[in-house]
Amino acid sequence: MASNLPLPIPPRTPTPPPDDQHASTITSGMPISRDSLSPLKASFPKGIMESESRDMLSPTKASFGLGTSPTQNGSGDSPAGPFNFDTAVMAKSPVVKSNIGQRRGHKYKHSSISHQIFLEPPPRAPLALPNSLPIPTLKECRSSMSKDQKTRFWWSLCHMSIAAYTLWTAHGSLAMTSLSHLILFDSLGALLCVAVDVLSNFEVWKRSSIRHPFGLERAEVLAGFAMAVLLLFMGLDLISHNLQHFLEKSGHEPHRPHEHDRVSLGSVDITAVLAISSTLVSAIGLKNHARIGKAMRFGYIQSLPSVLSNPSHFLTLSCSALLLLLPLVSIRIYDWLDKLLSGTIAFSMCFLGMRLVETLGSMLLMSYSGPGVSDVIKDIEADPAVIGIDDARFWQVHYGLCMANLKLRVGGTEENLLRLREKITSLVRNRLGGGYGGGGQKWEVSLQFTIERA
């Protein structure tokens, strides 16, 4: 029977002699040499590579796997073949996925120490400026108003009503029509002063942030620029109205009838009195046009009192005073003076509007248009420690803040440079800002020195 054939014994490897008895009987009586384990030599054991044994070890032969296993269980089960794999039962419960010990993506930071080529930036201190500040709503502005601010607000509305009344009663005089436009401009300025006073209750008005580096104070400059454009257009409208009346007197038919009823001779014009009183109350109580007057700097009216030194107040008060004197003259002179005064007011409004547009426009473009810059540059160059001025920039942010940035080439000791820094700072603030207590703009001076050694 094929099942009774002895199992072949594989060739031995060069290991220490086995301890089992069967292996010792095979190698007994045989000399141990280097060629004894080579099947190409004659000394190789013959019983290992017999034909029947080779057939049993070949899976292509029919006798493969028919031999009995050297170790069988005691119950006489079927022998274990060379491919005797035990049956494994797969678990039916869901496999829980675990990410422990796994890494998703490529983490440069946590990779090998030798590959840390992407170093972290050094830690920075947090910015002192906030990203943005909340802008107050209309309801918040109303709730934050004090009693004095509410009084000023109602007075600005009264000033605006006086402007409307002046325009309504101005049908008898071209000069009164021009004066009503001036009072309207003053009433808008008074309302703007109240709005600025209310917004200053909030932090966003003066505190700098990344979104608004200089706060919301530049919004006042933008509103003043819009008022200046309105004043310019009102002056042009008055000029066209005067030209229309001149053409009517020359024989052309008017597009619509104009009736001008003058104030009775020797009477007091109540409208002119209201214009003077409202202008004085707004100028003294609300400081109307105060910041615009400082920015304008008309040299020929600087010596006048505080109210008259403002060009807007000077124009309104002078025109109102002349209108009070017009009823005292004859009818023929009244008509001639009325047209002359109306044209003068119209051209003055255009001139003032153009100056305001130029001044506030340069302020919006972050430049300084005031006088005295050339004198400051000459005084700095005259200092013996200054070799040259590489760059000098003067610019105005809003009504209350100006900045000067200078880059100088200097020489000398540290004490001389410290003295020069203090001298330039005081020179800019005294010449351009009006000095301490002068009420001018605040100047911030930044200096950069390039030291040149001899």
Side-chain angles (χ1 to χ4, degrees), residues 242-297:
N242 291 331
L243 289 177
Q244 182 179 356
H245 276 272
F246 176 76
L247 293 177
E248 290 177 3
K249 294 294 183 179
S250 300
H252 294 79
E253 294 184 359
H255 296 284
R256 56 185 179 181
H258 293 276
E259 296 180 359
H260 299 288
D261 299 331
R262 66 180 301 277
V263 182
S264 59
L265 186 64
S267 62
V268 178
D269 197 343
I270 303 299
T271 308
V273 175
L274 289 176
I276 293 175
S277 60
S278 61
T279 303
L280 290 176
V281 171
S282 296
I284 298 174
L286 274 70
K287 303 296 181 183
N288 189 16
H289 302 309
R291 288 177 289 272
I292 293 180
K294 292 178 182 178
M296 294 293 295
R297 293 185 179 183

Side-chain angles (χ1 to χ4, degrees), residues 132-206:
S132 63
L133 293 172
I135 298 178
T137 60
L138 185 61
K139 183 178 180 181
E140 293 174 348
C141 292
R142 195 187 313 117
S143 61
S144 67
M145 293 175 64
S146 62
K147 185 178 180 179
D148 181 60
Q149 291 172 350
K150 291 180 180 178
T151 304
R152 294 185 177 188
F153 172 74
W154 289 114
W155 167 249
S156 63
L157 295 183
C158 291
H159 197 172
M160 196 170 295
S161 63
I162 292 175
Y165 173 76
T166 306
L167 182 62
W168 179 63
T169 59
H171 59 85
S173 173
L174 290 176
M176 189 64 69
T177 304
S178 303
L179 180 63
S180 65
H181 289 72
L182 280 177
I183 299 175
L184 177 62
F185 175 73
D186 292 339
S187 63
L188 292 176
L191 186 62
L192 178 61
C193 290
V194 176
V196 168
D197 195 14
V198 173
L199 288 175
S200 61
N201 297 334
F202 299 91
E203 190 180 15
V204 69
W205 182 251
K206 288 189 176 181

Side-chain angles (χ1 to χ4, degrees), residues 11-17 32-34 37:
R12 303 296 298 178
T13 57
T15 55
I32 300 175
S33 63
R34 185 174 57 185
L37 296 179

Side-chain angles (χ1 to χ4, degrees), residues 213-386:
F214 305 102
L216 285 181
E217 290 191 73
R218 283 177 61 83
E220 183 184 3
V221 182
L222 184 60
F225 182 80
M227 289 176 52
V229 174
L230 177 62
L231 181 64
L232 178 60
F233 275 97
M234 286 192 300
L236 294 175
D237 178 69
L238 289 175
I239 292 176
S240 65
H241 192 68
N242 291 331
L243 289 177
Q244 182 179 356
H245 276 272
F246 176 76
L247 293 177
E248 290 177 3
K249 294 294 183 179
S250 300
H252 294 79
E253 294 184 359
H255 296 284
R256 56 185 179 181
H258 293 276
E259 296 180 359
H260 299 288
D261 299 331
R262 66 180 301 277
V263 182
S264 59
L265 186 64
S267 62
V268 178
D269 197 343
I270 303 299
T271 308
V273 175
L274 289 176
I276 293 175
S277 60
S278 61
T279 303
L280 290 176
V281 171
S282 296
I284 298 174
L286 274 70
K287 303 296 181 183
N288 189 16
H289 302 309
R291 288 177 289 272
I292 293 180
K294 292 178 182 178
M296 294 293 295
R297 293 185 179 183
F298 281 90
Y300 42 86
I301 59 174
Q302 288 290 328
S303 59
L304 296 177
S306 59
V307 176
L308 296 178
S309 61
N310 192 306
S312 300
H313 300 330
F314 177 80
L315 185 59
T316 305
L317 293 176
S318 60
C319 293
S320 302
L322 289 176
L323 284 174
L324 281 176
L325 300 177
L326 283 182
L328 302 179
V329 299
S330 63
I331 298 177
R332 182 178 300 177
I333 300 177
Y334 177 89
D335 186 61
W336 181 76
L337 289 178
D338 183 75
K339 291 182 175 59
L340 179 61
L341 183 58
S342 175
T344 304
I345 294 175
F347 280 104
S348 300
M349 291 173 65
C350 290
F351 176 74
L352 180 60
M354 290 179 62
R355 286 290 302 271
L356 282 174
V357 167
E358 181 184 359
T359 303
L360 300 181
S362 63
M363 198 180 302
L364 289 175
L365 296 176
M366 306 291 282
S367 62
Y368 180 72
S369 59
V373 176
S374 59
D375 296 335
V376 170
I377 296 296
K378 291 179 181 178
D379 291 342
I380 294 175
E381 290 178 342
D383 194 279
V386 177

